[in-house]
């Protein structure tokens, strides 16, 4: 069973979630993640500790929920005028953000507090939504496009593997190379 809190937009639940998330981000910046406790977070957020325990269970679940929110893209991917340019720009930004020390910490938080996989699925959905925007724009321009799953498998999956398990040497050129290989493979498959 998922422990992700159900939130009504604009309701008390949303206000509590925002207050608690803000408290976590502030306290983490001040004390580091090792120093976080439910009573501290509750006091900063203006809620009772039982509210946090009831909704999130413990700090690990709460950090996971905050991480998923932080990993949500803030805006649509840039339109650079063509599929290759759009994908390269998005992939470079994704790699830069996710491979940073804070990005890797948020990924770990999202996964560690996620025994049922719902947070990982949400993070994957964020990437899929961004890629879908890029692919639809390219299709509207008349370009041939791969499907979203192919882009996830050949672009996002290798980057995530490297970010999590082989983080040294992750440069923009790596992201650009993956995009070129993806598009070259897709072009070969349609011939």
């Amino acid at each position: 069973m998922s422990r992700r809190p159900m939130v009504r937009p604009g309701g008390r639940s949303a206000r509590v979630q925002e207050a608690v998330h803000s408290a976590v981000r502030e306290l983490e910046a001040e004390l580091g993640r090792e120093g976080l406790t439910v009573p501290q977070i509750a006091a900063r957020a203006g809620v009772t500790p039982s509210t946090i325990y009831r909704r999130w269970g413990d700090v690990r679940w709460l950090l996971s929920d905050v991480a998923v929110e932080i990993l949500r893209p803030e805006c649509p991917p840039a339109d650079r005028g063509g599929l290759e340019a759009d994908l390269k720009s998005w992939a470079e930004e994704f790699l830069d953000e996710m491979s940073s020390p804070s990005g890797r910490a948020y990924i770990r938080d999202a996964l560690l507090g996620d025994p049922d996989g719902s947070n990982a699925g949400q993070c994957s959905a964020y990437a899929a939504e961004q890629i879908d925007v890029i692919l639809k724009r390219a299709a509207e321009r008349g370009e041939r496009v791969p499907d979203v799953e192919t882009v996830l498998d050949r672009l996002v999956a290798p980057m995530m593997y490297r970010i999590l398990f082989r983080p040294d040497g992750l440069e923009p050129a790596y992201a650009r190379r993956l995009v070129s290989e993806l598009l070259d493979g897709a072009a070969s498959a349609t011939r």
Side-chain angles (χ1 to χ4, degrees):
M1 181 175 158
S2 173
R3 302 262 314 172
R4 278 186 69 75
M6 299 297 292
V7 178
R8 288 189 321 258
R12 180 183 183 281
S13 194
R15 288 189 303 275
V16 167
Q17 180 175 336
E18 178 53 36
V20 170
H21 280 205
S22 292
V24 168
R25 289 189 301 268
E26 291 167 10
L27 287 167
E28 187 176 15
E30 293 169 20
L31 308 171
R33 71 185 48 248
E34 295 78 26
L36 293 177
T37 67
V38 169
Q40 289 171 320
I41 295 166
R44 178 71 61 99
V47 300
T48 63
S50 64
T51 298
I52 293 174
Y53 288 123
R54 188 171 43 254
R55 290 183 66 172
W56 288 281
D58 61 22
V59 172
R60 187 176 65 176
W61 281 91
L62 179 54
L63 285 172
S64 182
D65 195 50
V66 170
V68 170
E69 188 63 32
I70 289 171
L71 292 171
R72 178 191 311 261
E74 295 178 2
C75 58
D79 187 347
R80 305 283 185 220
L83 177 60
E84 184 172 11
D86 287 357
L87 280 176
K88 284 181 177 179
S89 173
W90 181 85
E92 286 178 23
E93 185 176 318
F94 180 87
L95 184 64
D96 182 56
E97 289 178 8
M98 297 299 152
S99 66
S100 70
S102 62
R104 289 192 359 251
Y106 291 132
I107 292 167
R108 283 191 301 273
D109 285 346
L111 298 176
L112 287 175
D114 186 30
D116 68 359
S118 60
N119 287 346
Q122 185 59 55
C123 291
S124 177
Y126 295 155
E129 289 165 7
Q130 294 269 295
I131 290 164
D132 190 51
V133 168
I134 292 169
L135 298 179
K136 283 181 177 172
R137 279 195 312 234
E140 288 170 4
R141 291 189 293 257
E143 296 179 74
R144 283 196 171 143
V145 298
D147 61 67
V148 171
E149 290 301 315
T150 298
V151 178
L152 288 171
D153 289 345
R154 295 189 182 169
L155 180 61
V156 178
M159 285 194 296
M160 288 302 295
Y161 177 84
R162 293 286 305 270
I163 289 165
L164 292 171
F165 301 112
R166 298 185 58 117
D168 294 333
L170 290 176
E171 302 294 328
Y174 173 67
R176 291 191 301 269
R177 180 175 56 84
L178 288 174
V179 170
S180 294
E181 290 171 359
L182 163 71
L183 295 178
D184 288 345
S188 296
T190 60
R191 289 184 201 155

